[in-house]
Amino acid sequence: MWTELGVLITTLVVIQGQSTSEEYGGYRLNEIYLPSRYVVDLEVSQDVFDGAGVAFSGKVSITFEISESTDVIRIHKQNAITSLTLFSGSTPITVSSFEKYNSTTEILTIELSQSLVVGTTYTLNIEYNGDLDTTSMSGFYLSSYRTSYGATEYLVTTQFQPTHARHAFPCFDEPQYKATFLISITHPAAYNALSNMPQAQLDPINTTYAKTTFKETPRMSTYLVAFIVSNFSCSLGEVIDVDTPHQVCSRKEQAQYRDLAVRLGSVIMNKLETITGLKYAQQLPKMDEVAIPDFSAGAMENWGLVTYRETGLLYSEEDSSNSYKKSIAQVIAHEFTHMWFGNLVTCKWWDYTFLNEGFARLYQYFAAALVEELSDWELDKHFVVEQVHTALLTDSSLSADSLTSKASSQSQVSNKFSTITYNKGAAVLRMIEHVIGAQNFLSGIHSYLDTYSYKATTPKNLWDVLQRFAPTNSLPSDATLEVVIENWVEKSGHPLVTVTSSGNDVILSQTRFLLSGSEDREWYIPISYTLSNDTKGFANTSPKFWLRPGQAYTLSNAINNQGWIIINNQQSGFYRVNYDTALWSRIKETLQENHTEIDVLNRAQLLNDVYNFARSGLLKYSDAMSVFSYLKNEVEYYPWYSAIVGLNHLLQRIGYESTIGRRLIAHQLENLDKVYATVPFSKLDSNNQVYTMKQVAILTRACRYGLTSCVEEVKGLFERYKSGNSVPKNLRSIVYCNALRYSTDLHTDFNFLWDKFQSASLASEVVTILGSFGCAQDASHIKWFLKQTINATSGVRLQDFSTAWSGVYSSGGRIGAVAAMEFIAENYAELTAYYSGVGSLISTIANYFFEESQLESIQKVLNVSTLSNGHRATANSAITSARSNIAWASSKAEDVSAFLDELQSSGAVHLASSALLIAIGALAFNRGLVL
Ligand SMILES: *[C@@H]1O[C@H](CO)[C@@H](O)[C@H](O)[C@H]1NC(C)=O
Ligand SMILES: *[C@@H]1O[C@H](CO)[C@@H](O)[C@H](O)[C@H]1NC(C)=O
Ligand SMILES: *[C@@H]1O[C@H](CO)[C@@H](O)[C@H](O)[C@H]1NC(C)=O
Ligand SMILES: *[C@@H]1O[C@H](CO)[C@@H](O)[C@H](O)[C@H]1NC(C)=O
Ligand SMILES: *[C@@H]1O[C@H](CO)[C@@H](O)[C@H](O)[C@H]1NC(C)=O
Ligand SMILES: *[C@@H]1O[C@H](CO)[C@@H](O)[C@H](O)[C@H]1NC(C)=O
Ligand SMILES: [Zn+2]
């Protein structure tokens, strides 16, 4: 093991003699420590489980060598050290001081009176006391839940990624420092303990305490260590392999909701074994998946002990909607992918987080898609609208981060867990897969995992391996994969490919796509395309040619004078495509006449691209709307998904309640007619996943737009709910929200739902209800509700704070966003004491303002006498950006309005005149609108 580690360390590059620590502003350890083993012994007292204390104590013993002589040891720690000794074998080494601690970097400098030498094994022993975290659900923390008989039970659990292992025990807390871990925990005997490895021993200490010792782990990073002490129980599933059990654990009262996870776990793991070519059983001898009542992220891939939010693991066939089924399957696939990408082979440092998260995001679709039970879910298609489109959007801002970028401090490291890392990471990997071919990609991955097992990698390691499996003709003749991929990974942004026609020739050129501003940047872009005379072409995603930096490309004699060309089959390349007027009009015509000639994912691409071209000013909104017009014939999910994302943005900017917003909604209801008819309330089919997702998406919009028949259905279902008949599970989010939005007796309906919230114990139901209160169109109810989000005894968990608030500002229209901002002003002290993200709350809410009068609520925040300087700056810039959004919207309004006028005068829309729409205000008007 030592030589293996030595080999790894010597391959690390130290740039220009600068130490890693200096290069990373003092936040990194010098790369001279070679830890091999941790023995961690923790003790948690009965007080903790009685809700009467948060203290814990621990001892850690770290075996390490060094690669360079030194008289200081730098190590991460956070707790109070009571004793520290260092040995070489049984010989003590004098520690001159361990007082030098930087609480910003969380690095302790241990000064020695003699130098450590290369080739000797040392043992560092530290005893310490700590407090469990109770506010941020990170490190070693306390969680609790109420049982049905009213008692509160406590558990302790961990969340170490990325920089919190040091909160539980002193350690070299960087992903590259892999070692084995021998963990034991002393705890009240009535509770049980879980960790990465199976239990080796359970020793009674005395009448009340017991000590659980686990088997020693394989070599692994500190952030993947985990332990839980709880009164949970587990359900055993199918084994992953002989002697490799899989179980799902949760609080006992939720035992009935474990079936889905129990059923899917081993199946998904086995699919991943096929993809990776490596058995899970060779890593660890068991897999426990545990649902934690308080959890900050979605789930965490601790090796052998994966933790989840309850909504990410627990599922009721009767009461959880299909969207939860989808997310549970995908979260499991994501976390299990990490067993290989992240746990077995680990990003060397967080600059390269995408090496872990990009693959996990990719296979949460493409591994889950292989599961028979999920095979008709079309997860491969969902990937394009859910991941590629969101990645392109985030990547279109001048301030976007690149996939690899330097992260030093703890908060910079946390910020690497971003849309760019996950979504763009996955999208770029998918592009490479389509370039070199799926089978070659798999072979490359096998080799990468095999070569770097138990080690840490940089992106170059991956590209070099994949290069070996890339057929020569799949890459540009003059560039390696590393060269091709450089600008996609090390620079922010993505290309806009512009296609112009000249006679029968088609010319392609490139630039960076940005929503605003401009920047010179070019890429090697793989180009696939389909011509109108060969619509089967959409199936072939391997590149026909490369568009290179600095060169336009001419496709000679590609189209005749009626023909169209569509670039980027199934949007397998990570870029946008714009066409000249002539080519756009041929595409538009085809969409109008027979849209099924164009692949469904390319229809989704066209809508997403054209909307963003309007948003950036490259095209006019009227151009985008005229492409959107074909939607009146569209009944498939993916194009509608794209369209809805675009329209939601436009309506957020111009306001659902503004004059132009209402006119736009009326027009969209026309477009919605046909697809709405395909998903009636009366036709529920929860066995059909794609139908159900489409139904929920379409009905959600129809009701938000105020379509009378939709609102009437909702009211009927809510009345039945009030008389004891539960709402069909997939309609709940629509019914709860819109029953409040259109309520004629809000107080009664609101209180009814609040009572339901109080009595719900299934997490998916809790969250569905919580997300609905924001639909109420009354400021005092909204503010009362927001008060409950900062009330520790109301039943609203801190982990659900964002769900509750986003329901208010994103679904509550004018009233909701203003009430939320006013609430911040009126409850500033309490809110900031309870929730640490108030700054981003202010800017997010302001992003939903669409008229000047709403800005008064930000002024109220500015008038708070105790407002922090940071929040004052945020509020001031929120005003500036809200003003610029409002100006932007009014600059576009004319164009949108002209488009609607033209439709109206051409008789395409049977609308009441806009004057009438203004006059009737919030009342119903023809075309069946209720606002
Ligand atoms: C702690 O580390 C930070 C980051 O390197 C540095 O800015 C700060 O000056 C250090 N503090 C002390 C007391 O050395
Ligand atoms: C653990 O759960 C069981 C049954 O759910 C309960 O009877 C017992 O009191 C709990 N134990 C502790 C220590 O809370
Ligand atoms: C039992 O063991 C625990 C843990 O070591 C200790 O804190 C406690 O004092 C012991 N109780 C008795 C009654 O000896
Ligand atoms: C489609 O048109 C192109 C260009 O005119 C031509 O090269 C190609 O052979 C045609 N393909 C089919 C299947 O007709
Ligand atoms: C529309 O296009 C599809 C796919 O090319 C084709 O199968 C279908 O026959 C066309 N429909 C009409 C009405 O032309
Ligand atoms: C906080 O929640 C508790 C329990 O529901 C409730 O009794 C109390 O009135 C709430 N406090 C406020 C300020 O709403
Ligand atoms: Zn992940």
Side-chain angles (χ1 to χ4, degrees):
M1 295 300 276
W2 281 111
T3 40
E4 191 193 338
L5 188 60
V7 169
L8 172 65
I9 295 294
T10 55
T11 62
L12 302 176
V13 205
V14 179
I15 297 161
Q16 293 166 344
Q18 207 183 24
S19 83
T20 303
S21 179
E22 286 161 21
E23 195 194 331
Y24 284 85
Y27 286 92
R28 297 282 303 274
L29 303 173
N30 296 330
E31 290 173 342
I32 59 170
Y33 311 108
L34 314 174
S36 57
R37 182 179 202 229
Y38 290 76
V39 179
V40 182
D41 187 14
L42 298 159
E43 190 169 322
V44 187
S45 77
Q46 180 65 48
D47 281 358
V48 164
F49 298 90
D50 293 340
V54 293
F56 73 95
S57 61
K59 290 185 229 173
V60 63
S61 176
I62 309 170
T63 310
F64 68 99
E65 286 189 39
I66 46 156
S67 61
E68 227 177 74
S69 178
T70 180
D71 58 3
V72 295
I73 301 169
R74 300 175 77 235
I75 190 166
H76 290 106
K77 74 110 190 178
Q78 215 246 0
N79 299 306
I81 293 178
T82 54
S83 146
L84 186 148
T85 57
L86 181 65
F87 287 86
S88 161
S90 56
T91 317
I93 293 176
T94 313
V95 171
S96 46
S97 129
F98 57 93
E99 303 304 313
K100 217 171 128 193
Y101 176 65
N102 186 323
S103 59
T104 305
T105 58
E106 301 180 330
I107 292 174
L108 174 72
T109 304
I110 303 168
E111 294 171 323
L112 311 172
S113 54
Q114 68 186 82
S115 286
L116 303 183
V117 294
V118 178
T120 304
T121 302
Y122 298 97
T123 309
L124 178 64
N125 303 306
I126 303 179
E127 297 185 18
Y128 58 96
N129 292 315
D131 283 344
L132 296 162
D133 173 273
T134 56
T135 56
S136 66
M137 296 170 269
S138 67
F140 192 14
Y141 73 96
L142 187 65
S143 169
S144 65
Y145 53 96
R146 197 85 65 81
T147 65
S148 62
Y149 47 93
T152 300
E153 290 200 6
Y154 293 86
L155 64 140
V156 295
T157 183
T158 58
Q159 167 62 41
F160 290 165
Q161 195 182 33
T163 57
H164 304 298
R166 66 194 67 162
H167 293 216
F169 55 91
C171 55
F172 299 102
D173 201 6
E174 293 189 10
Q176 64 176 318
Y177 295 120
K178 296 193 176 188
T180 65
F181 293 83
L182 179 60
I183 296 167
S184 59
I185 308 179
T186 301
H187 53 84
Y191 294 79
N192 60 73
L194 292 172
S195 185
N196 306 83
M197 294 295 285
Q199 175 183 307
Q201 257 175 278
L202 178 63
D203 302 309
I205 303 269
N206 54 34
T207 51
T208 40
Y209 284 85
K211 177 170 175 168
T212 305
T213 304
F214 301 94
K215 293 184 177 159
E216 190 158 346
T217 70
R219 282 170 50 76
M220 60 187 277
S221 308
T222 48
Y223 78 89
L224 292 168
V225 171
F227 30 83
I228 300 169
V229 181
S230 72
N231 190 20
F232 283 1
S233 67
C234 303
S235 305
L236 208 53
E238 288 286 313
V239 296
I240 291 167
D241 219 325
V242 192
D243 298 331
T244 308
H246 164 243
Q247 58 177 358
V248 176
C249 314
S250 71
R251 44 185 162 130
K252 290 176 184 167
E253 285 176 9
Q254 305 282 306
Q256 56 186 314
Y257 304 130
R258 297 172 192 150
D259 291 356
L260 176 68
V262 164
R263 193 165 76 234
L264 291 178
S266 297
V267 181
I268 291 175
M269 197 69 101
N270 294 151
K271 296 298 176 197
L272 282 160
E273 291 176 330
T274 310
I275 288 172
T276 60
L278 294 170
K279 288 282 196 185
Y280 175 73
Q282 289 168 358
Q283 308 174 6
L284 283 184
K286 62 98 172 164
M287 169 56 76
D288 296 329
E289 299 185 88
V290 188
I292 307 291
D294 300 284
F295 202 83
S296 61
M300 177 62 212
E301 69 265 25
N302 314 298
W303 218 351
L305 182 64
V306 180
T307 47
Y308 297 81
R309 279 191 176 215
E310 289 191 341
T311 46
L313 196 64
L314 303 177
Y315 180 77
S316 160
E317 202 60 53
E318 291 72 43
D319 291 312
S320 305
S321 71
N322 282 37
S323 64
Y324 287 99
K325 189 170 185 181
K326 176 171 187 282
S327 66
I328 288 168
Q330 292 198 267
V331 175
I332 295 174
H334 178 105
E335 301 311 326
F336 283 9
T337 302
H338 278 310
M339 299 304 119
W340 290 266
F341 295 97
N343 301 10
L344 186 62
V345 177
T346 311
C347 60
K348 180 174 171 279
W349 174 247
W350 304 111
D351 293 3
Y352 317 125
T353 305
F354 87 94
L355 289 176
N356 294 4
E357 299 301 345
F359 279 107
R361 185 50 60 86
L362 184 72
Y363 287 122
Q364 78 181 51
Y365 288 84
F366 295 95
L370 301 179
V371 175
E372 201 171 323
E373 183 177 345
L374 319 178
S375 61
D376 58 0
W377 285 17
E378 302 182 350
L379 288 170
D380 54 337
K381 295 198 172 92
H382 293 274
F383 183 86
V384 172
V385 292
E386 292 174 1
Q387 301 301 320
V388 178
H389 291 182
T390 45
L392 288 169
L393 180 62
T394 307
D395 202 28
S396 321
S397 134
L398 267 177
S399 62
D401 202 5
S402 49
L403 262 180
T404 62
S405 64
K406 188 176 273 189
S408 301
S409 68
Q410 291 89 323
S411 68
Q412 286 168 345
V413 166
S414 293
N415 289 339
K416 283 301 287 180
F417 292 77
S418 63
T419 305
I420 290 296
T421 293
Y422 285 73
N423 308 30
K424 184 178 176 181
V428 167
L429 289 170
R430 173 173 172 263
M431 175 166 72
I432 296 171
E433 180 184 0
H434 285 268
V435 165
I436 70 175
Q439 206 50 52
N440 299 319
F441 188 73
L442 275 183
S443 306
I445 275 172
H446 291 177
S447 174
Y448 170 74
L449 291 171
D450 206 45
T451 308
Y452 295 105
S453 286
Y454 305 103
K455 294 179 186 162
T457 54
T458 64
K460 185 174 178 2
N461 298 139
L462 176 64
W463 313 139
D464 286 350
V465 173
L466 289 176
Q467 171 75 51
R468 299 210 313 270
F469 294 88
T472 3
N473 61 2
S474 68
L475 294 172
S477 53
D478 57 349
T480 60
L481 181 59
E482 192 188 357
V483 169
V484 165
I485 212 66
E486 183 180 326
N487 278 5
W488 299 94
V489 171
E490 289 172 26
K491 301 268 173 57
S492 59
H494 55 269
L496 166 67
V497 172
T498 302
V499 188
T500 52
S501 52
S502 167
N504 291 349
D505 293 351
V506 168
I507 301 142
L508 285 77
S509 60
Q510 62 163 305
T511 177
R512 177 175 180 187
F513 179 73
L514 284 162
L515 285 174
S516 64
S518 69
E519 187 176 46
D520 280 338
R521 184 161 296 164
E522 294 189 298
W523 290 261
Y524 282 94
I525 310 172
I527 303 289
S528 61
Y529 60 85
T530 297
L531 299 171
S532 44
N533 67 351
D534 182 22
T535 57
K536 288 193 192 71
F538 286 110
N540 184 357
T541 56
S542 46
K544 288 210 171 69
F545 61 90
W546 289 83
L547 188 57
R548 290 155 198 259
Q551 294 172 21
Y553 189 98
T554 302
L555 257 173
S556 303
N557 223 5
I559 46 170
N560 65 27
N561 53 7
Q562 296 308 317
W564 50 255
I565 181 169
I566 288 177
I567 306 285
N568 200 5
N569 294 335
Q570 300 178 49
Q571 209 167 9
S572 57
F574 187 66
Y575 55 89
R576 295 193 186 280
V577 188
N578 194 16
Y579 301 88
D580 67 13
T581 316
L583 292 172
W584 262 124
S585 73
R586 294 176 197 180
I587 292 169
K588 260 193 288 191
E589 252 166 58
T590 308
L591 286 172
Q592 294 285 351
E593 281 161 18
N594 184 0
H595 60 272
T596 61
E597 281 185 22
I598 298 171
D599 181 84
V600 68
L601 288 179
N602 285 94
R603 303 204 299 273
Q605 168 206 33
L606 290 166
L607 293 169
N608 183 258
D609 278 353
V610 82
Y611 183 82
N612 284 286
F613 297 153
R615 191 173 163 181
S616 72
L618 204 58
L619 294 179
K620 293 201 300 179
Y621 261 94
S622 45
D623 296 329
M625 292 297 118
S626 72
V627 175
F628 273 48
S629 298
Y630 99 92
L631 286 164
K632 62 184 183 300
N633 299 320
E634 179 65 82
V635 294
E636 288 203 58
Y637 177 61
Y638 309 98
W640 270 108
Y641 186 107
S642 266
I644 286 170
V645 169
L647 292 166
N648 285 357
H649 173 261
L650 184 55
L651 282 163
Q652 177 182 338
R653 282 284 166 272
I654 65 180
Y656 286 77
E657 295 105 325
S658 69
T659 311
I660 178 77
R662 287 176 186 172
R663 291 189 64 201
L664 182 66
I665 284 171
H667 171 53
Q668 292 314 324
L669 281 171
E670 294 271 335
N671 283 345
L672 210 60
D673 253 3
K674 187 163 177 183
V675 68
Y676 179 72
T678 66
V679 290
F681 280 79
S682 58
K683 189 183 162 202
L684 298 171
D685 187 3
S686 62
N687 289 327
N688 186 336
Q689 180 74 6
V690 178
Y691 171 83
T692 300
M693 294 189 68
K694 178 174 91 169
Q695 181 176 45
V696 172
I698 297 298
L699 296 185
T700 299
R701 287 295 90 197
C703 279
R704 179 75 175 93
Y705 293 166
L707 185 65
T708 307
S709 66
C710 192
V711 173
E712 290 308 316
E713 294 276 3
V714 157
K715 290 190 162 192
L717 286 163
F718 197 72
E719 283 312 310
R720 285 172 47 81
Y721 187 32
K722 286 200 286 185
S723 55
N725 304 294
S726 63
V727 178
K729 62 180 192 172
N730 282 305
L731 299 178
R732 287 184 191 174
S733 61
I734 299 165
V735 170
Y736 299 167
C737 162
N738 291 293
L740 295 187
R741 184 191 306 286
Y742 301 109
S743 177
T744 47
D745 181 4
L746 183 60
H747 199 65
T748 305
D749 291 343
F750 192 97
N751 287 340
F752 171 78
L753 209 54
W754 183 255
D755 287 344
K756 288 290 183 189
F757 167 74
Q758 288 295 333
S759 61
S761 74
L762 174 66
S764 64
E765 186 67 10
V766 165
V767 169
T768 304
I769 299 177
L770 262 189
S772 303
F773 291 112
C775 301
Q777 293 296 294
D778 174 74
S780 65
H781 282 85
I782 295 281
K783 288 180 183 176
W784 181 87
F785 170 62
L786 292 178
K787 192 102 188 170
Q788 307 317 308
T789 66
I790 56 169
N791 176 347
T793 58
S794 69
V796 182
R797 288 178 187 273
L798 185 59
Q799 68 169 5
D800 299 325
F801 185 96
S802 313
T803 304
W805 277 70
S806 77
V808 171
Y809 56 72
S810 72
S811 314
R814 178 194 278 140
I815 291 175
V818 168
M821 192 64 84
E822 287 180 351
F823 182 88
I824 294 175
E826 289 157 12
N827 300 272
Y828 183 71
E830 266 177 277
L831 178 62
T832 48
Y834 198 83
Y835 181 70
S836 59
V838 174
S840 67
L841 215 48
I842 293 171
S843 36
T844 308
I845 296 168
N847 201 22
Y848 283 84
F849 288 170
F850 62 92
E851 58 192 14
E852 185 69 25
S853 64
Q854 293 179 297
L855 302 191
E856 282 164 33
S857 63
I858 312 185
Q859 197 52 54
K860 289 181 184 162
V861 171
L862 284 166
N863 293 344
V864 172
S865 59
T866 56
L867 193 69
S868 76
N869 289 337
H871 292 160
R872 180 171 305 282
T874 307
N876 276 317
S877 70
I879 289 188
T880 311
S881 76
R883 285 230 163 85
S884 100
N885 286 341
I886 291 167
W888 180 90
S890 67
S891 77
K892 305 293 178 190
E894 207 174 306
D895 180 25
V896 175
S897 169
F899 170 76
L900 295 173
D901 288 345
E902 196 181 313
L903 273 183
Q904 216 169 318
S905 67
S906 74
V909 179
H910 325 285
L911 272 187
S913 77
S914 56
L916 177 57
L917 296 192
I918 303 161
I920 54 181
L923 298 173
F925 52 90
N926 77 342
R927 277 293 304 154
L929 288 181
V930 181
L931 283 165

